[in-house]
Amino acid sequence: MYVEIKNLNFKYKASRETTVVDFSLDMEKGETVSIVGESGSGKSTVLRLIAGLEIPLSGVIKVNNKVMVDDSTFIAPEKRDIGMVFQDYALFPHMTVAQNITFGLKRLTNKEKKERLAEVLELVSLEKFKDRYPYELSGGQQQRVALARALAPKPSLLLLDEPFSNLDADLQKKIREQLKHILKCTGITSILVTHDKEDALSIADSVVVLKEGRIVRAGSPAQVLA
Amino acid sequence: MFKTSRLKATYLNTWALLSLIFVLLILAPNVNILINALKPGNENWYHIKEYLLKDYIINSLTLVAFTGLFTVLLGTTLAWLVSVFEFPFRKFFKWGLILPLAIPPYIAAYTYDGLLNYTGVIQTFLRNSLKISVNQKYFNIMSMEGAVFIFTAFLYPYVYIITKSFLEKQSASLIENSRMLGRSPLEIFFYVILPLSRTAILGGVSLVILEVLNDYGVVKYFGIVTFSTAIFKTWFALGDIDSAVKLAAILMFMVFAVLLMENLLRGRKKFSYTTSKVRPITPLKLQGMKAAGAFVYCFTVFSLSFLIPTLQLVYWAFLAYQKVLHVKFWVLIINSLSAALVSSVLVIAIAVVIANYCRLNDGLISKIYSKITTLGYSIPGSVIAMGVIVFFVGLDRRLVWLYHMISENSSKLVLSTSMAMLTFAYIIRFLAIGYNAIEAGFARIGRKFLEASRTLGMNVTQTFFKVELKMLQPAIISGLVLVFIDILKELPLTLILRPFNFDTLATKSFEYAGDEMIHEAAISSLIIIIISAVSVYFFYKIGDREES
């Protein structure tokens, strides 16, 4: 398996109840899995655990045979090679689109950076906007910059946290199609968290339904969400 | 199951270590005081305890009690007037009444004395033009009553500012509801506003009390014996550091009592309005006599606490500028500015390190760290001065071997006679101001940019320098300005801990005034006032606009 997650448990310091209980997930390379659940179901927490932004109480996460977390290891988020698109994008407001996208490319030479920037800008069709600042862009454009920024370092796994929640309804559908296309083009392995079943139906290869921190159903989108 | 704490520790090493060092350094001098206080007292101490201590306590408490009472009266009534009523010049008074904060009380003290004494403008005018000789008793401000007047007139803005912003934010619909229920404005003030703003008033008045206990300039100039003056006298005149430290410890306990009392009185009553929507109060328009009354009240306070002393200083400065403005004066300015600049940059740097560490670790340790970091501002300058001296003399004693290794004929006291000691004391005292600004800045940024940056391969430190430092800039600048100005005004610490022959604008004003050279003191005082006034204007006026 390309991604192996076993018996992940997590509790926020301030809360009494366990937020994530015995979460397990296996993924093939190139697969897109959607985690569906209502707000408070712990779905975003699962993403944060995989990204390394939270430390689990127990459990194992392996990506591409590399241990991210187990009883004796914890790899810091900056060393995991896992990309993430945040719900509110978290674009650096004082950097241009180009600076935002090349931010994660610190190991490349300037020439390589330029090439990679051109590639991902083309992928998200934002070539004309590379010198704009985030506040000069529409919500949909900002979202594509966030996606381009996460894809630029060619992460081994891409995490998307409610990528459509900040967009208005007609835009959502259009962007959903674009995202599906981009994910297929790059062949990247990805996990998409959403509360909207339609997102999952149209993009995901398989679906996991989370309720109160536990997996209640899992399988192909048609089976699970029908 | 594995232990998560161990894992977390590995990636915050540098920040954690630096924070720990800073916090220990801040703590050391204060702990020193408390430990030294437990040593048995010497003969001097017996004498002090038997004959003098009672006076120190009574004087300090009298000042605190009356200043507290009058600042509450003045501060709340003014806040109520400008936020609930419409009258001529209300908009101006709204921020104009904050301006007295720009005049340090010790400058106000000698200004008022110069204004009122036998050779002052008022008596000279009465004598020469109106042929009236007054009873000196009524014109002598150098008394307990005079000190209460000075503290009240120049510290009430603390109560005023906090109460005003509380009223503006919290009470629009409550006041309107009370009006519709048929209550008169005066009834509303007593039954709704006062009880409601209790926490705000308490917060303001405890700042006033801490300032009064911190004061050295006013009471020294007026010849009133309080803890601050007694600590310095015991040390300078009697040369008895141990007894001075004991006095400092008692003063420190008084401060803790004030803080504790504030906490207890506040209790559960942290009233805050239940809806998030803040609607400004529609002010009630006052007519005729009432409007005139409101204007006269505000204008009287504004004149006494800002206009009159400032005009007097301008007049004196005009008389003396040719005598004062020579090379030495520029040295003075450079001294003041460089001492304030170096210390405020250090304050902000330390504040950034501790604030960043605390925000990344929301545990008990972070809470303790931020408490310790902000404690210094409550501790009076005289106490910090004693703590820092004991600490540095101890350091020097331990480092003598090093000094001799570097230079054969080095003196025994190196650190304790250098700027390092004063800078260190400034940092302890003003770290809280820098820390609050930086903490608020970090809170505004949040953690999302850090998280985004980490998933893009940057660690905490890289993210700080590449992303957050830039976003933190407004907080850094405002913190820097606030600390800089506080240091510029600072008197007790500078007076005690400065190296030999090192003068600042503040110490020189105070020395001139003490040597009956009031005209000469005016220029340096005015510079302090102008710089402070600009910042007061900048912060409260601009801050106000941003909120609305």
Side-chain angles (χ1 to χ4, degrees):
Chain A
M1 280 295 150
Y2 187 70
V3 175
E4 288 178 71
I5 300 172
K6 277 202 194 84
N7 298 330
L8 220 48
N9 282 288
F10 179 78
K11 189 173 97 57
Y12 282 104
K13 251 185 201 166
S15 94
R16 269 207 208 146
E17 280 143 53
T18 319
T19 316
V20 175
V21 186
D22 283 333
F23 182 91
S24 299
L25 178 71
D26 287 332
M27 288 172 72
E28 305 275 1
K29 194 170 168 58
E31 197 184 357
T32 299
V33 169
S34 181
I35 303 177
V36 183
E38 288 164 12
S39 65
S41 60
K43 57 191 189 310
S44 290
T45 308
V46 170
L47 276 202
R48 295 175 59 81
L49 285 165
I50 299 170
L53 299 172
E54 307 288 351
I55 302 172
L57 288 174
S58 62
V60 178
I61 300 174
K62 278 193 219 169
V63 178
N64 202 6
N65 279 322
K66 205 174 129 199
V67 176
M68 296 295 162
V69 156
D70 66 12
D71 289 2
S72 55
T73 336
F74 175 79
I75 309 281
E78 60 267 26
K79 300 204 173 110
R80 287 196 179 193
D81 190 25
I82 294 177
M84 182 153 170
V85 177
F86 288 77
Q87 188 171 1
D88 49 9
Y89 318 139
L91 297 175
F92 306 125
H94 58 296
M95 295 185 192
T96 60
V97 168
Q99 286 167 332
N100 262 290
I101 292 175
T102 51
F103 184 83
L105 304 176
K106 56 179 176 177
R107 275 186 218 92
L108 302 190
T109 64
N110 279 342
K111 188 167 161 268
E112 288 169 327
K113 273 186 197 172
K114 249 189 190 158
E115 286 168 7
R116 183 67 185 145
L117 172 66
E119 273 172 41
V120 287
L121 279 173
E122 196 195 332
L123 189 68
V124 297
S125 344
L126 283 173
E127 295 96 326
K128 284 183 203 146
F129 299 91
K130 73 180 170 68
D131 293 321
R132 296 258 188 114
Y133 284 91
Y135 70 89
E136 299 170 313
L137 301 175
S138 72
Q141 289 166 336
Q142 288 183 17
Q143 201 249 11
R144 279 183 284 158
V145 176
L147 180 63
R149 184 177 71 174
L151 286 171
K154 297 188 179 162
S156 54
L157 174 65
L158 180 69
L159 309 173
L160 302 119
D161 190 2
E162 298 270 7
F164 311 112
S165 64
N166 280 338
L167 304 172
D168 45 42
D170 17 316
L171 204 58
Q172 273 190 21
K173 205 168 173 190
K174 196 176 135 211
I175 298 250
R176 199 191 283 149
E177 288 309 309
Q178 283 175 349
L179 178 67
K180 188 177 179 182
H181 175 73
I182 291 169
L183 291 180
K184 283 283 157 297
C185 273
T186 51
I188 195 161
T189 317
S190 55
I191 303 178
L192 177 139
V193 154
T194 178
H195 64 275
D196 188 342
K197 287 177 184 169
E198 278 192 43
D199 290 346
L201 271 174
S202 64
I203 295 178
D205 301 315
S206 63
V207 174
V208 171
V209 179
L210 218 56
K211 198 173 179 187
E212 288 166 4
R214 290 166 206 271
I215 298 177
V216 288
R217 259 173 298 164
S220 76
Q223 280 175 332
V224 173
L225 300 170
Chain B
M1 285 286 202
F2 57 88
K3 290 192 177 64
T4 57
S5 52
R6 181 170 51 91
L7 296 172
K8 226 169 196 173
T10 54
Y11 64 81
L12 284 170
N13 250 327
T14 339
W15 297 87
L17 190 67
L18 281 175
S19 302
L20 182 67
I21 292 172
F22 291 144
V23 166
L24 288 180
L25 277 175
I26 297 163
L27 210 54
N30 296 307
V31 171
N32 242 331
I33 292 239
L34 295 178
I35 290 174
N36 276 297
L38 298 174
K39 281 190 197 160
N42 54 22
E43 227 170 277
N44 280 334
W45 177 247
Y46 179 77
H47 176 80
I48 292 171
K49 206 169 76 180
E50 204 62 7
Y51 303 106
L52 303 170
L53 192 59
K54 209 175 109 197
D55 283 346
Y56 301 162
I57 293 179
I58 290 177
N59 283 348
S60 290
L61 286 184
T62 313
L63 279 175
V64 162
F66 283 102
T67 308
L69 179 70
F70 291 131
T71 48
V72 167
L73 284 176
L74 215 54
T76 46
T77 48
L78 288 169
W80 173 63
L81 271 181
V82 299
S83 36
V84 181
F85 299 107
E86 177 66 57
F87 54 92
F89 293 100
R90 163 178 172 262
K91 282 233 168 75
F92 166 76
F93 285 128
K94 227 173 156 179
W95 65 269
L97 287 168
I98 295 168
L99 281 178
L101 268 195
I103 305 184
Y106 62 90
I107 291 178
Y110 84 74
T111 309
Y112 261 100
D113 178 47
L115 194 69
L116 293 173
N117 66 19
Y118 189 74
T119 51
V121 183
I122 295 178
Q123 289 206 38
T124 316
F125 173 76
L126 290 176
R127 222 170 22 242
N128 297 348
S129 309
L130 305 176
K131 307 286 177 222
I132 301 174
S133 279
V134 295
N135 184 343
Q136 291 305 317
K137 204 173 83 186
Y138 298 118
F139 277 74
N140 181 16
I141 195 166
M142 294 172 76
S143 60
M144 183 65 94
E145 293 84 353
V148 170
F149 167 75
I150 295 287
F151 284 135
T152 305
F154 296 89
L155 296 177
Y156 81 83
Y158 285 117
V159 180
Y160 168 77
I161 294 166
I162 298 182
T163 314
K164 178 175 78 84
S165 78
F166 181 83
L167 288 179
E168 280 168 354
K169 280 192 200 128
Q170 304 282 315
S171 56
S173 62
L174 290 174
I175 290 175
E176 282 162 12
N177 263 315
S178 320
R179 270 184 206 159
M180 288 165 67
L181 291 167
R183 294 296 184 150
S184 73
L186 216 58
E187 283 175 317
I188 297 173
F189 178 72
F190 282 109
Y191 295 119
V192 180
I193 294 198
L194 271 188
L196 195 68
S197 12
R198 196 170 97 177
T199 12
I201 296 170
L202 265 174
V205 83
S206 40
L207 282 178
V208 170
I209 291 173
L210 293 176
E211 285 291 331
V212 173
L213 289 177
N214 174 52
D215 172 77
Y216 173 72
V218 176
V219 286
K220 171 80 174 130
Y221 191 74
F222 283 2
I224 299 168
V225 190
T226 62
F227 267 97
S228 293
T229 51
I231 289 168
F232 292 149
K233 207 176 123 197
T234 311
W235 178 46
F236 280 141
L238 300 177
D240 183 354
I241 254 197
D242 289 339
S243 301
V245 166
K246 278 185 181 304
L247 285 173
I250 298 180
L251 182 51
M252 201 152 150
F253 280 121
M254 280 169 72
V255 166
F256 286 150
V258 171
L259 295 177
L260 192 71
M261 217 141 75
E262 191 209 343
N263 248 311
L264 287 180
L265 283 174
R266 191 180 285 184
R268 283 185 306 111
K269 306 221 165 154
K270 279 189 183 169
F271 298 121
S272 69
Y273 205 47
T274 39
T275 60
S276 58
K277 225 178 175 182
V278 174
R279 189 163 40 87
I281 306 173
T282 321
L284 195 66
K285 205 170 165 85
L286 291 178
Q287 304 284 355
M289 285 303 287
K290 279 185 182 168
F295 171 79
V296 168
Y297 180 51
C298 292
F299 186 71
T300 310
V301 174
F302 179 71
S303 306
L304 287 175
S305 57
F306 188 77
L307 200 58
I308 292 173
T310 309
L311 289 178
Q312 174 68 81
L313 283 170
V314 170
Y315 175 67
W316 285 338
F318 189 70
L319 291 180
Y321 75 96
Q322 279 168 323
K323 244 192 285 175
V324 177
L325 291 181
H326 47 65
V327 183
K328 272 190 186 163
F329 189 77
W330 300 114
V331 174
L332 204 62
I333 292 193
I334 291 169
N335 274 351
S336 289
L337 296 185
S338 52
L341 189 68
V342 169
S343 307
S344 47
V345 167
L346 286 173
V347 162
I348 295 299
I350 294 172
V352 164
V353 170
I354 301 180
N356 197 27
Y357 172 76
C358 287
R359 122 193 133 108
L360 296 175
N361 294 272
D362 42 351
L364 184 65
I365 288 190
S366 310
K367 273 190 196 132
I368 294 173
Y369 277 16
S370 58
K371 263 268 148 30
I372 293 173
T373 310
T374 48
L375 195 64
Y377 199 63
S378 316
I379 300 178
S382 50
V383 178
I384 292 179
M386 291 321 298
V388 169
I389 282 179
V390 173
F391 183 67
F392 271 73
V393 169
L395 268 184
D396 269 344
R397 224 172 266 156
R398 253 160 235 157
L399 292 176
V400 169
W401 60 271
L402 184 71
Y403 302 153
H404 280 281
M405 233 166 71
I406 295 165
S407 153
E408 282 280 317
N409 30 7
S410 148
S411 84
K412 277 182 184 162
L413 301 175
V414 175
L415 281 176
S416 56
T417 53
S418 71
M419 272 305 284
M421 188 161 71
L422 180 58
T423 308
F424 187 74
Y426 282 151
I427 293 173
I428 294 186
R429 171 111 173 106
F430 297 116
L431 189 55
I433 298 175
Y435 183 79
N436 287 340
I438 301 295
E439 198 189 27
F442 269 128
R444 223 169 295 136
I445 299 174
R447 296 177 66 136
K448 63 178 182 182
F449 299 107
L450 172 70
E451 290 177 347
S453 162
R454 294 193 75 189
T455 63
L456 291 165
M458 301 285 178
N459 64 28
V460 172
T461 310
Q462 288 166 326
T463 305
F464 175 75
F465 285 108
K466 290 200 162 172
V467 179
E468 291 168 322
L469 188 59
K470 187 92 186 170
M471 301 171 74
L472 207 56
Q473 231 174 41
I476 288 179
I477 290 171
S478 71
L480 209 60
V481 171
L482 283 177
V483 175
F484 181 85
I485 283 159
D486 258 340
I487 293 178
L488 207 62
K489 294 198 290 191
E490 208 287 332
L491 186 68
L493 287 177
T494 322
L495 220 46
I496 316 294
L497 299 177
R498 64 191 163 147
F500 185 67
N501 263 345
F502 180 87
D503 273 310
T504 65
L505 289 168
T507 60
K508 203 69 198 169
S509 308
F510 189 68
E511 272 182 12
Y512 273 139
D515 297 342
E516 305 281 318
M517 295 165 75
I518 283 179
H519 300 179
E520 284 78 358
I523 293 186
S524 28
S525 304
L526 270 179
I527 295 177
I528 295 176
I529 293 174
I530 291 167
I531 297 178
S532 316
V534 168
S535 86
V536 164
Y537 176 83
F538 178 75
F539 273 97
Y540 293 104
K541 191 90 193 287
I542 309 294
D544 244 24
R545 198 173 303 153
E546 264 175 18
E547 270 165 33
S548 59

